Amino acid sequence: MSVIVATSLAEAFAALSAHPEATLVAGGTDVMVEVNAGHRHVADVVMVNRVGELCTWRHDGAMLHLGAGVTWSQIEAAPIAEWVPVLAQAARTVGSPQIRHVGTIGGNLGTCSPAGDGLPGLAALDAVVHLASPAGERSLPFAEFMVGPKRTARVAGELIIGVTVPVLRGWQGYSKVGVRNAMVIATASVALVTDLDGRTVRLALGSVGPTILRCTEAEAFAAANVDFANGAASAAVVSEFAALARAAARPIDDHRSTAEYRRHAVGVLAGRLLRRAFPNE
Amino acid sequence: MSEFYVLHVNGAAREVRDAAAGESLLFVLRERLGLMGSKGACEQGECGSCSVLLDDQLVCGCLVLAAGAVGQRIVTIEGVAPLGAPSDVQQAFVDAGAVQCGFCTPGLIMATHSLLERSPAPSEMEIREELSGNVCRCTGYGRIIDAVQRVAVARRGAQ
Ligand SMILES: Cc1cc2nc3c(=O)[nH]c(=O)nc-3n(C[C@H](O)[C@H](O)[C@H](O)COP(=O)(O)OP(=O)(O)OC[C@H]3O[C@@H](n4cnc5c(N)ncnc54)[C@H](O)[C@@H]3O)c2cc1C
Ligand code: FES
Ligand code: FES
């Protein structure tokens, strides 16, 4: 067994070439839970939480690149919070301070749970996920990266390098339902992003399907019926938007909740977020 | 793997020998280095009783892969203050009656030191949010929040 602490991408790739089956660990907040519970055995580990290239972000005006090693604490705070409020709000709901200090957006993508709090925001922002291996790099839209519950398009030996998201003008928000305020896995969650320049409203649902679901019908309906200039939406528009969100959900019954409750919850949350985005009647 | 690795705990270099794969920092601190102050209740990141500082950041020791923490600065409850000379936070927990069985207390002391470093005058809401990763089964939290506020007030007075 070996634990290699990589401090650069080159070191990480060298370690992965030497140990192709190695477990990648960033913050360890998903991996170590499984290890401690005896559900995952680790032999060779490559630590990627100190890879300089992964722990940075870059803002070039229209776009923001977040390295995979950027933590929830960083996303929750300025300046990232000002560029992508939807991700900042999601970050604030992740676990506890202890989890947010080390848990990363790359780890959230690596696990790719339908309940992952970073994912609805990334889906709503049409994020592009960057992957790399010694053989080369590729980038794919989030919707193609997440292919099922905890299943991604990443292949063995590939590193998640980071994500690119647009910095948009317009209100953004994330809402989540769970059994308590802190330290809770989402029973249902909703991300809403408005783009005042493109005149679009984007809506993504978490925990109510095998992947994060984009609600294209609700989005088209909102774009055609809200008043972008005056920040206004009628009560009827909010209620129809909520109904379309409910219709788009594909929830299941499990130990955390019922399909019926989840469907109801995403409707409530979607309506609430649209109202916050367009506060005038 | 090499036969040993070195962790920097409370200012001292400590060798860890014959470790098995996947050992958490909490396990290594308690079982290999004899530092019993950090507690383990859930080993799932849920309770915070294992909270330590890793390069000045509050983390759950149970979720840190010990061998991956090489070269990082680790501070445990044993490193907060010498025996018999409690830190202001430790004293405030005693004075406010914020300790009952005491199992959660080391984690809460670490979390409170970390919180007050970052935010010297936290609101009650902020205290509740910042301590949300530390679960206490006994006190009901009122006295814990009281203890945190006492330290914040005393530190301001001392300036
Ligand atoms: C108590 C607790 C509460 C939690 N609460 C929440 C919550 O509210 N919301 C939520 O969404 N999540 C929550 N989580 C889950 C977890 O904290 C998040 O998913 C976090 O973002 C994982 O990041 P990490 O860096 O710790 O991942 P790690 O555990 O280090 O890795 C997770 C997975 O991603 C892979 N990986 C990591 N980095 C890379 C990379 N660069 N390239 C390729 N693969 C990589 C790993 O191999 C592993 O499979 C919680 C966890 C705990 C223990
Ligand atoms: S033992 Fe680490 S959080 Fe409970
Ligand atoms: S004092 Fe007993 S758990 Fe907190």
Side-chain angles (χ1 to χ4, degrees):
Chain A
M1 67 172 236
S2 68
V3 176
I4 298 170
V5 180
T7 60
S8 67
L9 274 183
E11 280 179 27
F13 286 139
L16 271 177
S17 305
H19 306 278
E21 301 304 316
T23 304
L24 295 168
V25 176
T29 62
D30 277 320
V31 174
M32 288 302 287
V33 166
E34 294 180 9
V35 170
N36 291 346
H39 296 153
R40 189 202 278 244
H41 177 74
V42 291
D44 297 319
V45 171
V46 179
M47 297 294 302
V48 293
N49 60 333
R50 286 187 258 173
V51 172
E53 296 96 320
L54 299 183
C55 297
T56 56
W57 68 79
R58 211 171 44 245
H59 176 222
D60 70 1
M63 301 306 266
L64 173 67
H65 176 82
L66 293 173
V70 172
T71 63
W72 296 119
S73 296
Q74 291 174 303
I75 293 172
E76 193 184 358
I80 296 177
E82 284 149 23
W83 296 322
V84 279
V86 69
L87 294 183
Q89 284 183 25
R92 193 171 164 198
T93 77
V94 173
S96 63
Q98 285 91 327
I99 303 299
R100 298 198 284 273
H101 286 151
V102 291
T104 63
I105 191 155
N108 213 233
L109 281 164
T111 298
C112 233
S113 157
D117 281 311
L119 309 182
L122 291 177
L125 288 166
D126 285 321
V128 172
V129 182
H130 305 287
L131 301 164
S133 69
E137 292 182 27
R138 62 188 181 121
S139 298
L140 56 174
F142 173 77
E144 287 170 32
F145 174 79
M146 183 174 192
V147 297
K150 300 199 172 182
R151 289 199 297 119
T152 74
R154 187 183 84 87
V155 298
E158 256 182 333
L159 272 178
I160 301 167
I161 300 298
V163 291
T164 303
V165 290
V167 176
L168 299 170
R169 211 166 57 81
W171 192 89
Q172 307 183 353
Y174 178 71
S175 278
K176 151 180 174 183
V177 174
V179 288
R180 59 181 282 236
N181 277 339
M183 195 75 94
V184 77
I185 296 177
T187 301
S189 64
V190 176
L192 186 141
V193 168
T194 52
D195 175 0
L196 292 182
D197 298 312
R199 300 228 157 190
T200 58
V201 175
R202 298 127 171 238
L203 185 69
L205 313 180
S207 285
V208 289
T211 62
I212 305 303
L213 305 174
R214 275 287 290 269
C215 309
T216 46
E217 282 184 34
E219 293 180 2
F221 172 78
N225 290 285
V226 299
D227 179 347
F228 284 97
N230 296 309
S234 71
V237 167
V238 171
S239 126
E240 177 60 15
F241 184 74
L244 290 169
R246 276 198 301 278
R250 292 160 55 199
I252 55 166
D253 290 329
D254 68 8
H255 61 289
R256 248 180 253 125
S257 189
T258 62
E260 192 188 351
Y261 177 78
R262 288 187 158 109
R263 190 182 292 287
H264 175 74
V266 290
V268 172
L269 297 180
R272 197 177 284 168
L273 289 176
L274 189 71
R275 177 50 78 212
R276 287 184 192 158
F278 298 93
N280 303 318
E281 284 269 333
Chain B
M1 138 168 215
S2 55
E3 279 165 45
F4 73 97
Y5 57 89
V6 176
L7 294 180
H8 290 270
V9 187
N10 301 329
R14 305 286 306 264
E15 279 183 14
V16 181
R17 294 193 169 272
D18 304 320
E23 288 181 357
S24 73
L25 180 58
L26 174 67
F27 179 88
V28 167
L29 289 171
R30 290 181 56 88
E31 308 300 330
R32 299 198 181 277
L33 301 181
L35 294 167
M36 298 295 187
S38 308
K39 306 299 178 205
C42 69
E43 298 188 24
Q44 300 285 294
E46 301 272 350
C47 75
S49 61
C50 62
S51 298
V52 296
L53 298 180
L54 187 67
D55 280 348
D56 300 324
Q57 300 252 50
L58 187 74
V59 303
C60 291
C62 70
L63 299 183
V64 174
L65 183 69
V70 165
Q72 291 182 293
R73 237 175 13 264
I74 299 157
V75 179
T76 70
I77 188 70
E78 289 90 348
V80 160
L83 264 187
S87 72
D88 56 352
V89 173
Q90 289 172 315
Q91 190 60 51
F93 269 63
V94 174
D95 295 343
V99 181
Q100 288 189 30
C101 81
F103 200 84
C104 66
T105 310
L108 273 160
I109 300 287
M110 299 309 290
T112 303
H113 273 290
S114 162
L115 160 62
L116 293 174
E117 279 300 313
R118 284 172 288 133
S119 175
S123 65
E124 183 184 331
M125 179 68 187
E126 197 178 348
I127 296 171
R128 286 187 181 275
E129 194 168 343
E130 286 288 329
L131 300 187
S132 62
N134 294 80
V135 178
C136 174
R137 296 307 304 270
C138 308
T139 66
Y141 302 105
R143 287 162 188 234
I144 291 171
I145 290 163
D146 181 28
V148 177
Q149 284 167 333
R150 284 184 193 213
V151 183
V153 169
R155 285 189 187 179
R156 277 205 295 287
Q159 272 172 4

